[in-house]
């Protein structure tokens, strides 16, 4: 007999690594030269924590010049987002330089991307599950959509 997903799986907190998110942001602020290589693999939507996504977007916006915490704070303040991400104290606490090693920036970014891919796969499979139960899609059409979505994600 086929098993259906348990409610504990469906209610679980989605995969994420908040430590890696903080670490990649801190790495970029410590060593600006890491931004180009991180940006090549890490897109803002991969962040699980909304505050971290906003910080990363601002880093990317002003990243063409050497970036530091002061410029980041100014950018957030100008955009009216400083308090939305927790204010200066949150940024100082979140991006403590002693907590990261800029040499690991790519590894931190890779962890974030892998967690995002897991969340996207869960989202796609949940859609497939509900679509199959409610008869919204024919199996062949759904399989095609799933494959296309997976290929776009990778």
């Amino acid at each position: 007999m086929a098993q259906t997903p348990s409610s504990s799986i469906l209610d679980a907190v989605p995969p994420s690594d908040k430590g890696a998110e903080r670490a990649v942001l801190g790495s970029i602020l410590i060593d600006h030269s890491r931004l180009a290589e991180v940006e090549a693999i890490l897109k803002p939507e991969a962040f699980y924590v909304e505050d971290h996504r906003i910080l990363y977007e601002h880093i990317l916006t002003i990243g063409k010049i050497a970036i530091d915490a002061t410029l980041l704070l100014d950018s957030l303040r100008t955009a009216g987002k400083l308090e939305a991400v927790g204010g200066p104290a949150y940024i100082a606490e979140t991006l403590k330089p002693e907590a990261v090693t800029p040499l690991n920036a790519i590894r931190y970014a890779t962890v974030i991307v892998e967690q995002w891919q897991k969340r996207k796969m869960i989202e796609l499979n949940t859609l497939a599950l509900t679509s199959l139960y409610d008869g919204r899609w024919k199996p062949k059409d759904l399989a095609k959509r799933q494959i296309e979505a997976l290929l776009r994600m990778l």
Side-chain angles (χ1 to χ4, degrees):
M1 181 168 175
Q3 290 184 315
T4 57
S6 70
S7 64
S8 63
I9 290 287
L10 297 176
D11 294 334
V13 174
S16 64
D17 190 326
K18 296 171 190 169
E21 291 185 13
R22 285 188 304 271
V24 78
L25 294 169
S27 294
I28 294 166
L29 288 178
I30 293 167
D31 184 353
H32 178 261
S33 70
R34 299 291 172 189
L35 179 58
E37 60 189 3
V38 168
E39 184 180 12
I41 64 167
L42 182 60
K43 305 302 176 223
E45 63 267 15
F47 283 86
Y48 180 72
V49 178
E50 180 72 7
D51 295 348
H52 297 162
R53 183 191 58 76
I54 292 169
L55 291 170
Y56 186 61
E57 286 174 341
H58 279 267
I59 287 171
L60 293 176
T61 299
I62 60 177
K64 304 305 178 231
I65 56 173
I67 186 167
D68 59 25
T70 302
L71 290 174
L72 179 58
L73 288 170
D74 184 59
S75 174
L76 290 163
R77 188 177 293 111
T78 300
K81 299 279 187 180
L82 183 57
E83 294 309 316
V85 298
Y90 175 78
I91 293 171
E93 181 64 27
T94 301
L95 307 179
K96 285 183 176 177
E98 64 272 6
V100 300
T101 303
L103 293 174
N104 290 332
I106 289 299
R107 180 65 192 131
Y108 301 141
T110 301
V111 168
I112 296 165
V113 170
E114 288 171 353
Q115 297 303 308
W116 172 77
Q117 289 171 332
K118 289 178 185 179
R119 291 192 306 274
K120 292 304 286 182
M121 290 179 81
I122 290 167
E123 181 183 311
L124 286 170
N125 286 305
T126 301
L127 173 65
L129 182 67
T130 57
S131 296
L132 290 169
Y133 271 107
D134 68 16
R136 202 174 343 160
W137 292 93
K138 292 180 181 178
K140 185 177 180 177
D141 295 335
L142 180 61
K144 182 180 176 186
R145 285 178 54 107
Q146 292 288 95
I147 290 167
E148 289 169 356
L150 286 169
L151 291 174
R152 279 192 309 272
M153 182 184 72
L154 301 174

